[in-house]
Amino acid sequence: MPRGSSDVTHDAIIIGAGFGGLYMLHRLRDLLRLRVELLEKAAGIGGTWFWNRYPGARSDSESWVYNFSFDKELMKEWRWSERYPRQPEILAYLNNFAERYDLLSSISLNTVVVSATFNEDESYWNVKTEDGVQRTCRFLVTALGVLSTTNLPAIPGIENFKGEIYHTGAFPENVTLKGKRVGVFGTGSSGVQTITAVAPIAEHLTVFQRTPQYSVPAKHRSLSDEQIEEIISRQDEIYDEMRKTNLAMGWVESNVPAGAVSQEERDKIYQDAWDAGGGFQFMFKTFSDVGTNEEANETAASFIRGKIAEIVEDPDTARALTPTGLYAKRPLCDDGYYAVFNRPNVTLADIKTHPVEYVSSNSVRTVDGRSHDLDVIILATGFDGVEGAYVPMDIRGRGGLRLNEYWSSGPLSFLGMAISNYPNLFMVLGPNSPFTNLIPSIEKQVEWIARAIAVINELPEPIMEVSEQAQADWVRVCDEFASQSVFQKIDNWFFGANIPGKTVTSRFYFGGFSRYNDVLEQVESGGYAGFVLGAKS
Ligand code: FAD
Ligand code: NA7
């Protein structure tokens, strides 16, 4: 039993029941034997995979690396049915995980955390929920997700719309779109998946496109029993190899620059990647510098542009669908996205050229005088990413310092897990966490935090806080890696550029999974270098 535990209602409180929070609960409750409660605002567990029930929703990390690797038995037992798992299957996986470890008994659903205040005299956190209940804890772990606050943009007159209206990131169950006139705003990853799935069932689909996207085939396929057995037999190998990579995707990134081969050879490599499927593979497994060098990037971009011209039959539609700039948004993959626009029941409304004039009770009118009659509007307009879920919460650290103020020029963290002035607060996937397939990074962080908490609990004064210097150094490292990436050269949610008024700055560590793990090990083996341990102030 940790010292001081009798003074507080809980040893630890975790917020968020996605991959991060669920695993954290298991580590702290079952391995460290702490008194823990997990608070989740949704009516069910699953995080992203609870909320994103839109048609076509799935991961584009491959299923066999989009799961927990710490439980080798579970990895052998769970049989993913497809290469890229669909939302219901990921949700089923997480429900199974929660049942396996009896996690639900320690989770309070429909519980929104509204504030958390650090008591400096007694070194505990006071956590308040919307229903007015207060809990106190030594350790507060936020696992709020990087994509859990929906972006509802100001589309003129949208409040007039009398039909159904949904955001992909808060999509209800059992929505019927068959035979309806559906409009989709947004052509990012969620939009492309939604559009491709809705086109065959809607009476009519109108796609309101602001920025055209580069997308490559996903090449979805189901996994045969033999393939599943083969993957299971190679799990250790896959995860060992993953530790040497940047993206933790379960394959090795290319180390050959695009300029090192002839155009003929280059096009063959792009064609092979197009045939094999996968957005991240197309950007990172083909050549080493598509994500960093503008000339190399253009070779990939022009290859995709050529494909759009081949696929889309109507030249005006093809032109409107073709991006002209860098291939530098999150790489997308799809199930026949561009071909959707050859269907007679699909219209592309290019709202960059002809913006929305207003939305009426049953239609969207654009400035070229066209009126698009709709029964349903789907907003695939993205998220207030990374720290977006922290904003509505009133989190106060030392001296009552409000996190929203502390982060007013952009979020600060050390390793994406700790914030100076906020002792004993740990974040899973906080700002400036690694840009990877996220489950391996979540696992690393959860395990690191759990070991840190075990160490803190042995201290005479059980408290740990990162220094401002270590935090500033980490932010600088993140800035340096980001400046090498093409992602920073266009408007991107990774940097906060999708939300009007949000500070555009680094929000991910682009130094890679392997290097990140090395840093975590160094900090830990160096006695938590960069942290102050056991000092109240
Ligand atoms: P989340 O799953 O987002 O869980 C956070 C939880 O915190 C939510 O349930 C939320 O309700 C809760 N919460 C937030 N604020 C409060 C509060 N104040 N009080 C109580 N509860 C609160 N990642 C990949 O690596 N590969 C992919 O292919 C991929 N595909 C994606 C596709 C979509 C459509 C989306 C939206 C995301 C995708 N992601 C992908 C990212 C995905 O979010 C992560 O992989 C992972 O699921 C995040 O888990 P998490 O536990 O960190 O957060
Ligand atoms: P994204 O990638 O942020 O995409 C949002 C889309 O919505 C994008 O096409 C935006 O156009 C569009 N958008 C945003 N605001 C508007 C308005 N006001 N009008 C029209 N269109 C708008 O979000 P996703 O959900 O697709 O993907 C986020 C992550 O979730 C993704 O990386 C995956 O990991 C899963 P823009 O490009 O800004 O012009």
Side-chain angles (χ1 to χ4, degrees):
M1 182 72 75
R3 246 173 322 284
S5 60
S6 56
D7 309 336
V8 287
T9 60
H10 298 64
D11 297 322
I13 288 178
I14 300 163
I15 314 173
F19 272 93
L22 293 174
Y23 185 31
M24 196 80 238
L25 175 58
H26 167 56
R27 289 306 291 202
L28 296 186
R29 190 195 65 180
D30 303 338
L31 278 77
L32 295 191
R33 305 267 160 221
L34 300 186
R35 291 173 303 155
V36 192
E37 185 180 3
L38 187 156
L39 309 177
E40 166 57 58
K41 71 176 173 188
I45 65 155
T48 288
W49 305 104
F50 173 89
W51 291 107
N52 288 263
R53 294 166 192 249
Y54 60 85
R58 53 166 112 205
S59 141
D60 55 11
S61 296
E62 281 154 329
S63 53
W64 53 90
V65 290
Y66 198 70
N67 52 199
F68 294 119
S69 67
F70 78 93
D71 183 339
K72 293 209 185 299
E73 284 311 307
L74 176 59
M75 281 181 89
K76 286 198 178 73
E77 284 165 25
W78 187 264
R79 301 176 84 80
W80 290 106
S81 66
E82 290 183 82
R83 176 189 187 184
Y84 294 114
R86 292 171 197 267
Q87 172 271 328
E89 195 168 11
I90 306 173
L91 188 58
Y93 171 84
L94 286 170
N95 276 309
N96 174 69
F97 179 76
E99 259 175 52
R100 182 180 182 88
Y101 289 103
D102 183 30
L103 298 181
L104 289 177
S105 60
S106 303
I107 298 177
S108 297
L109 297 172
N110 300 305
T111 305
V112 184
V113 176
V114 291
S115 73
T117 306
F118 186 64
N119 181 315
E120 278 190 86
D121 296 334
E122 303 291 334
S123 302
Y124 66 78
W125 283 92
N126 186 350
V127 177
K128 285 191 197 161
T129 48
E130 207 175 39
D131 53 10
V133 175
Q134 296 198 31
R135 296 162 174 87
T136 52
C137 58
R138 290 268 163 240
F139 303 104
L140 178 61
V141 183
T142 52
L144 308 182
V146 289
L147 293 163
S148 60
T149 302
T150 53
N151 171 36
L152 299 169
I155 297 169
I158 190 118
E159 64 283 359
N160 300 325
F161 190 67
K162 294 276 185 285
E164 299 161 71
I165 182 158
Y166 307 110
H167 190 286
T168 51
F171 209 87
E173 258 178 309
N174 305 323
V175 172
T176 305
L177 298 173
K178 195 170 174 358
K180 291 186 179 163
R181 296 164 304 173
V182 180
V184 176
F185 282 83
T187 53
S189 176
S190 309
V192 162
Q193 288 183 341
T194 305
I195 290 160
T196 313
V198 171
I201 53 173
E203 180 197 307
H204 194 88
L205 171 66
T206 307
V207 175
F208 296 95
Q209 171 193 274
R210 193 162 70 177
T211 306
Q213 283 275 9
Y214 295 99
S215 185
V216 305
K219 296 281 166 156
H220 294 304
R221 58 182 159 84
S222 30
L223 297 173
S224 66
D225 286 346
E226 293 73 39
Q227 285 166 330
I228 295 171
E229 290 309 330
E230 197 264 340
I231 290 164
I232 289 175
S233 72
R234 289 198 308 111
Q235 269 161 4
D236 287 345
E237 196 189 312
I238 292 170
Y239 274 83
D240 284 347
E241 195 171 70
M242 179 194 282
R243 286 182 196 106
K244 299 178 205 141
T245 66
N246 284 331
L247 291 165
M249 285 277 180
W251 40 263
V252 179
E253 294 92 9
S254 170
N255 58 10
V256 178
V261 301
S262 67
Q263 169 146 12
E264 199 185 4
E265 207 175 325
R266 203 161 47 228
D267 283 346
K268 181 176 179 321
I269 289 172
Y270 286 137
Q271 183 62 49
D272 289 347
W274 181 272
D275 293 338
F280 281 88
Q281 288 91 326
F282 194 88
M283 191 181 263
F284 295 103
K285 205 176 166 187
T286 49
F287 296 105
S288 59
D289 52 354
V290 173
T292 50
N293 174 302
E294 291 195 31
E295 257 177 71
N297 187 272
E298 172 56 24
T299 64
S302 67
F303 182 90
I304 301 175
R305 283 187 217 116
K307 290 292 183 190
I308 300 172
E310 279 172 27
I311 296 167
V312 182
E313 289 157 10
D314 173 58
D316 288 338
T317 307
R319 208 170 301 118
L321 278 171
T322 304
T324 50
L326 283 170
Y327 172 37
K329 297 228 182 208
R330 177 200 192 273
L332 304 185
C333 60
D334 66 76
D335 197 15
Y337 174 64
Y338 297 119
V340 154
F341 295 90
N342 294 334
R343 297 178 61 96
N345 70 330
V346 176
T347 304
L348 179 67
D350 174 357
I351 56 169
K352 191 155 259 171
T353 312
H354 303 293
V356 173
E357 193 179 355
Y358 66 83
V359 180
S360 73
S361 61
N362 63 352
S363 72
V364 174
R365 190 179 163 90
T366 44
V367 295
D368 54 354
R370 294 180 72 186
S371 190
H372 305 273
D373 293 345
L374 301 173
D375 304 307
V376 185
I377 291 179
I378 300 178
L379 298 171
T381 46
F383 299 85
D384 181 354
V386 187
E387 79 275 29
Y390 289 78
V391 174
M393 287 166 59
D394 183 9
I395 301 181
R396 299 191 195 192
R398 285 200 190 281
L401 182 61
R402 285 168 195 261
L403 189 61
N404 280 332
E405 272 168 36
Y406 192 52
W407 281 359
S408 60
S409 303
L412 304 168
S413 89
F414 183 51
L415 308 173
M417 292 190 285
I419 318 167
S420 185
N421 292 298
Y422 296 81
N424 287 3
L425 167 64
F426 294 97
M427 299 179 288
V428 181
L429 284 194
N432 289 336
S433 286
F435 179 81
T436 61
N437 167 34
L438 290 173
I439 311 310
S441 290
I442 286 174
E443 272 197 297
K444 284 284 163 198
Q445 291 189 335
V446 165
E447 289 162 11
W448 193 96
I449 291 167
R451 286 194 302 273
I453 287 178
V455 169
I456 306 169
N457 260 334
E458 296 303 316
L459 299 172
E461 192 64 52
I463 190 161
M464 176 164 165
E465 181 181 354
V466 68
S467 72
E468 288 209 318
Q469 187 58 52
Q471 178 174 272
D473 291 346
W474 181 249
V475 172
R476 201 186 53 251
V477 166
C478 292
D479 287 344
E480 280 166 13
F481 278 113
S483 70
Q484 295 162 24
S485 153
V486 290
F487 292 133
Q488 207 190 26
K489 300 198 165 123
I490 64 166
D491 286 352
N492 229 317
W493 70 261
F494 308 149
F495 296 91
N498 63 327
I499 302 293
K502 192 166 170 176
T503 307
V504 177
T505 187
S506 305
R507 286 180 165 80
F508 282 97
Y509 169 74
F510 285 97
F513 185 65
S514 161
R515 207 183 265 115
Y516 182 73
N517 284 329
D518 290 347
V519 176
L520 293 193
E521 273 167 37
Q522 279 160 21
V523 171
E524 191 173 346
S525 62
Y528 294 95
F531 286 89
V532 178
L533 276 85
K536 261 182 121 170
S537 58

